[in-house]
């Protein structure tokens, strides 16, 4: 029997939401073991004063195997 922990991450990118999500997963993969599921919860953008897109943001739930 296994237990999994779920954490929330926010990835950012100047390119796209897909790249923002990929950045978050890449960072999680470098410090967490046995990643299982990534669920995209929210997509948004940060804008400058003129209304231009500055960056894309992807909010993710990431689950990984819990080890004590």
């Amino acid at each position: 029997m296994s237990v999994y922990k779920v954490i929330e991450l926010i990835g950012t990118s100047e390119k796209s939401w897909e790249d923002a999500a990929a950045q978050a997963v890449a960072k999680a993969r470098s410090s967490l073991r046995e990643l299982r599921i990534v669920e995209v919860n929210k997509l948004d953008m940060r804008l400058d004063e003129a209304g231009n897109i500055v960056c894309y943001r992807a909010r993710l739930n990431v689950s990984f195997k819990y080890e004590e």
Side-chain angles (χ1 to χ4, degrees):
M1 188 159 124
S2 299
V3 174
Y4 296 90
K5 183 169 180 73
V6 177
I7 60 171
E8 184 176 68
L9 300 175
I10 299 173
T12 62
S13 169
E14 295 178 356
K15 298 177 189 175
S16 67
W17 283 306
E18 183 178 339
D19 188 55
Q23 295 292 331
V25 171
K27 188 67 172 178
R29 190 174 53 237
S30 72
S31 62
L32 300 171
R33 292 184 300 157
E34 296 197 49
L35 296 179
R36 296 292 188 205
I37 303 290
V38 176
E39 180 180 36
V40 177
N41 292 329
K42 184 176 182 181
L43 301 173
D44 60 26
M45 296 177 276
R46 191 164 55 90
L47 306 175
D48 65 13
E49 298 80 24
N52 299 312
I53 299 169
V54 174
C55 79
Y56 296 87
R57 301 186 328 165
R59 185 176 299 187
L60 313 171
N61 278 351
V62 177
S63 69
F64 57 95
K65 193 170 185 178
Y66 185 75
E67 298 176 5
E68 290 190 36

